[in-house]
Amino acid sequence: MMTNSFYKIIVFYIFFTASFTSLQAQHIDSLLSILDENYPQEKIHLHMDKLNYNPGETLWFKAYITADNQPAALSKTCYAELVDEKGTLLQRQIMPVLESGAASSFELPDTLHGNKLYIRAYTSWMLNFDSALFYMHPVHIIPLKSAVKKVPVAPSYTLTLFPEGGDLVENIGSLVAFKATDQEGTPISITGNIADDKGKIVTPFSSVHDGMGYFSLLPVAGEKYKAVWKDKKGVQHQTALPDAKKDGLTLSTIYSANRIQYTLTRPEVESPAASQYYVIAQMQQRVVYSAKINLTKKSTVTAPIITDSMPTGVLQLTVFNAEQLPVAERIVFINNNNYFFNTDLHAVEKNLAKRARNVLQIDVGNNLLTNLSIAVTDEGINPVSNNEESIFTQLLLSGDLKGYVYNPAYYFSSDEDSVKQHLDLVMMTNGWRRFKWENVLAEKWPVLTISPADYISIKGKVLGLSKLQLSNKDLTGILKTKTNAPQFLNIPMTKDGQFKLNKLYFFDTAKLYYQFNNDKDKTLTSAASFAFENGFVKSPAQSVNLLSGLYAPSKTDSLILLRSSSLAKLQREQNERNKIQTLSTVVVKTKQKSLKQKMDEEYTSGLFSGGDGYTFTTEDDPFAKSAQSVLQYLQGKVAGLQISTTGTGGATWRGSATSFFLNEINSDVSQLQNINMNDVAMIKVFRPPFFGAMGGGAGGAIAVYTKKGAALNNNFKGLDFTNIVGYSVIKQFYSPNYETENDPTVADYRTTLYWNSFLLMDKTNRRITIPFYNSDNCKKLRVIIEGINELGQLTREEKIFQ
C-alpha cells in the first residue's frame, strides 16, 4: 500500500510530464484534496468462520478496518449487528479495534425459521456518510426441518446495458457492456441480437463470463435500438438501449502492460468553443493523473496513463468539460500486485482420524507487525463455494462499487489475461460509489456530526448547580472494572458543567465512583445531579431496501446442508441431555460459589474470564507464601507446562513459549519473577492456544493478579457511582484437548474445529504453531487465513488437508 506522500509524488510527476496548467483542473484537484484530508473513508471486511450456519450455532467473525487502504488510524471502536430480513436488530456487538482488527461472535437463536440473516458492520465515523458504504453481508441459515416452506417464486431475468463512458453518441462507435441476472442476482448466460426499430439485426451478442459481455455499436442519427435475447429457459425478451445523444463525448479505454490508453471522441460538428476537456484520474480520493485535452482542431485524441507506480485498486477516470461538468466516466481496476504479503501454511502433524491431533504452522517472511485470523472447518460441511468474498475482494474491489459483484474471489485467483478481461467487464457494468462529483464540485461536503471514536469515552453534564458553584471545579473519579484494578481519574469540567474522558478500555460493565474535588462532606456533590454517557453511538435505522439488494451465497449442495443440519440436531439433543444431567449440580453451585469462582468474577475480564485452564488462589494455599517466585510456585502443578527457574526463568508448552500477563497486561517473565508472592491474589494458567496473546498463544498463557486493587476497595464506601457499559464480552473459542480430556460417551459434532481471531506476529515472532483436535466426523480440513500488516498489505491463504 502507498502512503500519502507517495500519491503526492505521482501528482507532481504528472503535472510536469502532462504540462497541466489549467486553473479549472487545479480547482478540481484542490477540491479532491479537501475531500481526502477532511473526509477520509473507512472500509470494513469481516472474516467469518464458515458460510452456512444452523440455528443455535455460534458465528465467529473478525473485522478488518482500513482507511484509504491503509491500516485504520481513525476509529478505535467497531460495531457489528445481526439483523433479520425485516431489518429488525437481533444482536449487537461493540468491539475495540486493535492493530486494525476487532473480533467477536453472534449466538444464533435456536428458534430461527428463516434462511437468511444479515451482518452489518460500521464505525461511528462511517455514520457521517452514506449508509450504503457500511459492510453488509448475508448469512445463510440452514432452516430447521420444522420451518414452513416458502412458496416458490417464479423466476425473472434482467438484462442491463452500460455504454462505455456513460453515453452513446450519434455516429461514433462505442462498446456497450451488459449483465444478465436472475431475481436473486445470480448471473445467467444469454445470447441475442441488437436490432434497430425496424427489426433489422445490427450485431449479435452473447455473454462471455458470469452473464456479462459486450458488443460494438455505431448509433445512426435518429435510430433507436433494442436487445432481443433469450433467457436460459428459451423465453424471448426485449430490452431497449439508451438513446444516442446528438452532442456529447465518448470515452474508451484499453488497459494493458501497466498503461491505460484512453481515447476521447467528439462529433465532427462539435462547436470549437465546447472542445476543451479536462481528464482527472483519482484513487481513494487522491489525484493520480490530470491532463488538459484540446479537441478544437481534431475530433479524437488518444493519450496514455502510466500505472506501474500506482497502488492496487479501483481508478476512477472522469472527463470534465470547460464548465467543470462531468461528461464521461470509466472505472478501471489497477493491479500492480503490491497489495498482498505471503503467509506459508502447512501441516506439521496431520491426522484425520477421530479426535486425532493436528498441528498447523504459519510463517510470515517479513519483520512487520502482522494481524491474522484463522478458521479451520470441516470441508464436508463448509466446502468451497462459487460465490465467496475475501479480504482482497471487499477492501480492494466490492467496497468501492455500486452494484453486486458475483463471485468476487475469482478476479484475484490468477494473473491470466482472461481473468483481467473478465474483471474489466465488472468495471464496465458497475460504478464508483464513494462520492458524487456534483457534490464535490458544488463544495457540498458531508456533514460531520460524529468524530472518530477513540475507544470508550465517558461524557456527561452536571445539572442543578449555578455557574458560580461550578467555577474552578473538577470531578474526582474512580473507575472500577471486574479486574478490581481501580483507576483514579481527574475529570476536568467546562464552565457549564460538561465533562468528558477519552481512551478508556474495559469489557462488560464498570462502576464509576465520583464526587467534586475538595468537596468536604459531599455537600456540593449531593446537591447536584449527574448525567453520564459511555460515548457509544446508537444503532442507526435499518434499511430494508439495502438488505433486499444483497444476495445470499450460492446454494450449497443439498446433501451437505442435510449433513450439517443432522449434526446440528444431534448437537442440540446432546446439549439438552447435558442440561438435564447437570441441572442439580448447577443449582447447588449457584447457591454457594467456590473461592475460585468468586475470584474469577472479581478479578478477570474479557478473554481472561473463564477459559480453558487452571486457577490457583493464594488465600487457600499455604505453599503460596513460602514460594520464592511465581514460576517456582507453578512448578509441577500443570501437566505439560515446562517451567525453568534458572536465570530469568521461562515457560514453554507443547514446544512453544508461554505468554505472561500481569493484571491482564502483556508482561515479560522478569516482571513476574520480581513479584512477592504475598502480593499475589490469583494465578490463571490457560491451556494452548490462548488467542489473547501475541502469536495466538500457541504456548498458552500465565496471568498473575495482584492484591493491589482489593486493598483499595474500602476507599469506595460512601461515594456515589454509576454503571458504565463497556465493550461486549468476548466469548473464547473452545478447543478440546483430547490428550487430557476424552470422554467417549460425549460425541463431538463440531464443524468449526478451530477459530482464532487474533494471531499477532512481529519481528521477534514470525512463526505460529497451532495444535488442535479433529472431531468425530471430519474427513477433510478447510483452512483459511486472512490478515493485514502495518503497511496495509493484505493476505489470504486457503488450503484443504485430506
Side-chain angles (χ1 to χ4, degrees):
M1 294 297 141
M2 312 301 175
T3 61
N4 292 3
S5 60
F6 186 88
Y7 279 90
K8 292 176 182 177
I9 292 172
I10 294 175
V11 177
F12 179 85
Y13 172 80
I14 289 171
F15 274 169
F16 276 79
T17 58
S19 301
F20 182 76
T21 59
S22 167
L23 293 178
Q24 291 93 330
Q26 289 181 21
H27 176 60
I28 296 173
D29 183 12
S30 66
L31 292 178
L32 271 181
S33 296
I34 294 173
L35 191 68
D36 175 45
E37 292 175 9
N38 299 327
Y39 310 97
Q41 297 286 297
E42 290 182 321
K43 302 179 194 176
I44 295 179
H45 164 68
L46 259 58
H47 177 196
M48 293 182 281
D49 62 316
K50 56 183 183 176
L51 294 177
N52 304 309
Y53 296 88
N54 289 280
E57 287 190 314
T58 300
L59 186 160
W60 303 92
F61 67 88
K62 166 76 169 289
Y64 290 96
I65 302 98
T66 63
D68 292 339
N69 286 353
Q70 298 289 313
L74 292 175
S75 300
K76 299 299 183 183
T77 296
C78 180
Y79 302 84
E81 297 170 343
L82 190 68
V83 298
D84 63 17
E85 291 180 284
K86 296 180 180 178
T88 304
L89 178 63
L90 302 179
Q91 294 179 41
R92 191 184 199 217
Q93 301 290 9
I94 306 174
M95 304 158 286
V97 177
L98 305 170
E99 305 300 342
S100 300
S104 193
S105 59
F106 289 116
E107 299 300 314
L108 300 178
D110 56 11
T111 56
L112 288 174
H113 291 289
N115 63 357
K116 194 186 298 182
L117 296 177
Y118 299 91
I119 290 182
R120 72 172 183 174
Y122 56 91
T123 66
S124 58
W125 178 250
M126 293 171 71
L127 293 176
N128 293 304
F129 308 100
D130 188 348
S131 61
L133 300 176
F134 294 172
Y135 175 88
M136 302 186 73
H137 194 271
V139 179
H140 186 234
I141 304 299
I142 302 171
L144 296 167
K145 288 187 176 181
S146 58
V148 178
K149 293 185 178 180
K150 294 185 177 180
V151 178
V153 178
S156 60
Y157 305 99
T158 303
L159 175 65
T160 311
L161 299 148
F162 305 87
E164 185 177 18
D167 294 317
L168 293 173
V169 179
E170 292 180 351
N171 302 317
I172 298 178
S174 295
L175 292 182
V176 179
F178 62 85
K179 179 165 60 175
T181 60
D182 65 13
Q183 73 281 359
E184 293 184 347
T186 303
I188 61 168
S189 296
I190 65 167
T191 59
N193 295 294
I194 302 301
D196 60 21
D197 55 2
K198 301 178 182 63
K200 180 182 177 181
I201 295 177
V202 177
T203 183
F205 68 91
S206 61
S207 53
V208 296
H209 174 72
D210 279 350
M212 297 179 293
Y214 65 89
F215 55 86
S216 298
L217 181 66
L218 178 64
V220 176
E223 193 68 76
K224 295 182 181 294
Y225 299 91
K226 59 187 175 182
V228 182
W229 53 282
K230 291 183 179 181
D231 62 33
K232 62 182 183 180
K233 290 192 173 184
V235 178
Q236 184 168 292
H237 303 264
Q238 292 188 7
T239 303
L241 270 72
D243 292 340
K245 292 185 174 182
K246 182 177 181 180
D247 297 318
L249 185 81
T250 65
L251 165 65
S252 62
T253 63
I254 298 175
Y255 174 44
S256 65
N258 297 320
R259 174 190 297 254
I260 298 175
Q261 203 82 10
Y262 70 91
T263 300
L264 305 183
T265 306
R266 64 163 176 83
E268 292 290 344
V269 295
E270 178 85 0
S271 169
S275 297
Q276 301 291 331
Y277 296 96
Y278 309 98
V279 180
I280 299 288
Q282 68 85 23
M283 299 182 74
Q284 301 302 319
Q285 303 182 164
R286 298 189 183 106
V287 173
V288 295
Y289 172 87
S290 53
K292 178 181 178 180
I293 304 296
N294 189 335
L295 290 178
T296 303
K297 295 182 179 180
K298 50 186 176 180
S299 61
T300 184
V301 166
T302 297
I305 301 175
I306 307 302
T307 63
D308 57 359
S309 297
M310 294 181 183
T312 294
V314 178
L315 177 145
Q316 181 189 29
L317 185 66
T318 308
V319 183
F320 299 86
N321 63 15
E323 287 74 38
Q324 298 187 32
L325 298 176
V327 293
E329 187 167 276
R330 173 76 145 84
I331 58 175
V332 180
F333 190 85
I334 306 299
N335 187 355
N336 287 317
N337 288 317
N338 53 5
Y339 62 90
F340 65 90
F341 65 96
N342 292 319
T343 52
D344 180 20
L345 165 69
H346 65 278
V348 178
E349 296 179 31
K350 185 184 72 174
N351 190 340
L352 295 176
K354 179 178 178 180
R355 304 192 182 191
R357 185 175 189 262
N358 294 271
V359 179
L360 300 178
Q361 182 174 297
I362 305 170
D363 292 276
V364 177
N366 55 50
N367 293 325
L368 301 173
L369 180 62
T370 303
N371 188 352
L372 305 175
S373 54
I374 181 172
V376 182
T377 57
D378 182 345
E379 195 274 343
I381 298 297
N382 186 40
V384 178
S385 163
N386 64 349
N387 186 22
E388 294 188 26
E389 69 170 24
S390 71
I391 193 169
F392 299 149
T393 65
Q394 176 61 25
L395 297 181
L396 299 176
L397 178 64
S398 303
D400 282 331
L401 299 182
K402 287 181 179 176
Y404 168 63
V405 180
Y406 181 81
N407 193 19
Y410 163 76
Y411 303 107
F412 292 84
S413 62
S414 80
D415 288 327
E416 295 291 330
D417 287 343
S418 59
V419 176
K420 294 178 181 178
Q421 292 165 6
H422 296 160
L423 177 55
D424 199 50
L425 284 174
V426 175
M427 297 293 99
M428 294 180 71
T429 55
N430 289 272
W432 173 264
R433 68 173 182 174
R434 284 281 157 183
F435 62 82
K436 296 179 180 179
W437 273 118
E438 54 265 37
N439 291 338
V440 173
L441 295 172
E443 300 187 39
K444 184 179 179 181
W445 308 115
V447 178
L448 300 180
T449 59
I450 302 174
S451 300
D454 194 356
Y455 296 118
I456 299 173
S457 62
I458 299 177
K459 58 183 179 180
K461 187 172 184 179
V462 179
L463 305 171
L465 298 180
S466 66
K467 289 186 177 181
L468 181 61
Q469 290 174 304
L470 291 172
S471 179
N472 298 321
K473 288 293 182 183
D474 289 334
L475 289 175
T476 297
I478 303 173
L479 186 68
K480 181 177 180 293
T481 65
K482 287 186 64 177
T483 61
N484 203 26
Q487 183 179 357
F488 288 86
L489 306 168
N490 181 58
I491 310 174
M493 284 198 313
T494 62
K495 293 180 180 179
D496 59 353
Q498 297 190 56
F499 55 86
K500 185 175 183 179
L501 284 170
N502 289 318
K503 300 184 179 180
L504 300 173
Y505 183 100
F506 58 89
F507 292 88
D508 205 352
T509 302
K511 283 184 168 58
L512 177 63
Y513 296 84
Y514 59 90
Q515 73 171 39
F516 285 109
N517 57 346
N518 302 319
D519 185 18
K520 294 183 179 181
D521 301 323
K522 295 179 56 183
T523 304
L524 200 60
T525 305
S526 300
S529 55
F530 298 80
F532 293 91
E533 296 181 22
N534 64 2
F536 293 146
V537 297
K538 295 181 179 179
S539 177
Q542 307 291 333
S543 172
V544 178
N545 290 333
L546 284 177
L547 297 180
S548 63
L550 299 175
Y551 303 95
S554 293
K555 295 179 181 178
T556 307
D557 185 273
S558 58
L559 290 177
I560 292 174
L561 295 181
L562 179 60
R563 182 185 175 204
S564 178
S565 180
S566 299
L567 288 176
K569 181 181 178 182
L570 292 171
Q571 183 68 62
R572 288 193 295 269
E573 291 173 351
Q574 180 170 276
N575 291 342
E576 288 301 318
R577 288 194 298 270
N578 291 341
K579 287 179 183 178
I580 295 172
Q581 292 170 1
T582 61
L583 183 59
S584 59
T585 306
V586 172
V587 172
V588 171
K589 286 185 177 180
T590 57
K591 292 180 179 178
Q592 183 63 48
K593 294 181 180 179
S594 68
L595 176 61
K596 291 181 180 180
Q597 287 176 313
K598 291 179 181 178
M599 296 284 282
D600 197 81
E601 291 180 3
E602 186 73 16
Y603 276 78
T604 66
S605 68
L607 307 175
F608 295 86
S609 59
D612 180 25
Y614 305 83
T615 300
F616 303 95
T617 55
T618 59
E619 181 180 331
D620 57 349
D621 189 347
F623 298 102
K625 294 182 180 180
S626 61
Q628 297 292 318
S629 66
V630 169
L631 291 183
Q632 186 192 44
Y633 171 74
L634 289 175
Q635 274 187 316
K637 288 184 176 292
V638 178
L641 179 65
Q642 304 297 318
I643 289 179
S644 170
T645 57
T646 59
T648 57
T652 60
W653 205 335
R654 298 179 186 171
S656 297
T658 301
S659 302
F660 300 100
F661 294 86
L662 178 59
N663 294 323
E664 301 186 356
I665 297 175
N666 205 328
S667 305
D668 58 38
V669 65
S670 61
Q671 288 180 286
L672 266 61
Q673 289 291 75
N674 291 328
I675 297 174
N676 190 316
M677 284 298 296
N678 289 320
D679 295 328
V680 175
M682 180 175 66
I683 302 172
K684 295 193 71 173
V685 181
F686 295 92
R687 293 189 184 94
F690 178 65
F691 83 88
M694 182 71 72
I702 297 173
V704 177
Y705 295 84
T706 63
K707 297 176 181 178
K708 179 180 178 181
L712 297 170
N713 195 38
N714 292 332
N715 296 333
F716 303 153
K717 291 182 179 179
L719 292 180
D720 293 334
F721 73 89
T722 185
N723 289 317
I724 304 294
V725 176
Y727 289 118
S728 304
V729 175
I730 297 178
K731 177 182 177 181
Q732 187 172 356
F733 181 84
Y734 172 70
S735 182
N737 181 352
Y738 286 133
E739 289 181 357
T740 58
E741 47 177 305
N742 193 354
D743 184 353
T745 64
V746 179
D748 185 347
Y749 299 116
R750 289 174 301 138
T751 56
T752 297
L753 306 180
Y754 183 81
W755 165 260
N756 196 325
S757 54
F758 274 98
L759 297 173
L760 300 176
M761 307 172 77
D762 58 17
K763 62 182 180 181
T764 62
N765 180 30
R766 308 311 304 160
R767 171 174 292 175
I768 294 175
T769 303
I770 297 173
F772 66 93
Y773 293 85
N774 196 15
S775 67
D776 291 348
N777 307 282
C778 179
K779 305 302 180 185
K780 292 183 183 180
L781 300 176
R782 184 184 182 192
V783 184
I784 297 177
I785 295 173
E786 292 193 329
I788 188 171
N789 66 21
E790 61 183 286
L791 296 182
Q793 293 173 315
L794 311 173
T795 192
R796 178 181 169 91
E797 180 81 6
E798 179 172 354
K799 285 187 178 180
I800 305 294
F801 296 100
Q802 55 185 331

